[in-house]
Amino acid sequence: KSFEIPGALRLNDLVVADDGTVYVTDSGQGEQAGALYRIDAAGRVTSFAERSPALERPNGIALTADGLIVH
């Protein structure tokens, strides 16, 4: 499947949780910080972490055995 992610600038990694949720990193571009997106099992795309200088430029994502998301 493919999904449109409005506002995405530079998608670069994803991970799929056991429940089918997909988490996607966006490393941003130029002066714009990155963001994290979530695509649920029904295909709904939502922002998981808004663009913020504190987020910097996420470049990779993983789930721990406890279900924590790390980037």
Side-chain angles (χ1 to χ4, degrees):
K1 292 184 175 184
S2 63
F3 301 92
E4 184 176 334
I5 302 180
L9 298 173
R10 184 169 283 177
L11 302 176
N12 61 24
D13 198 15
L14 63 86
V15 66
V16 181
D18 290 340
D19 66 0
T21 302
V22 179
Y23 297 92
V24 184
T25 58
D26 178 352
S27 61
Q29 186 171 341
E31 296 297 317
Q32 293 197 23
L36 300 175
Y37 299 98
R38 175 179 33 223
I39 305 169
D40 67 19
R44 291 181 294 256
V45 177
T46 57
S47 177
F48 183 70
E50 300 285 330
R51 290 190 191 288
S52 164
L55 187 58
E56 297 184 7
R57 299 189 181 283
N59 187 18
I61 191 166
L63 292 174
T64 68
D66 295 336
L68 296 175
I69 299 166
V70 293
H71 72 86

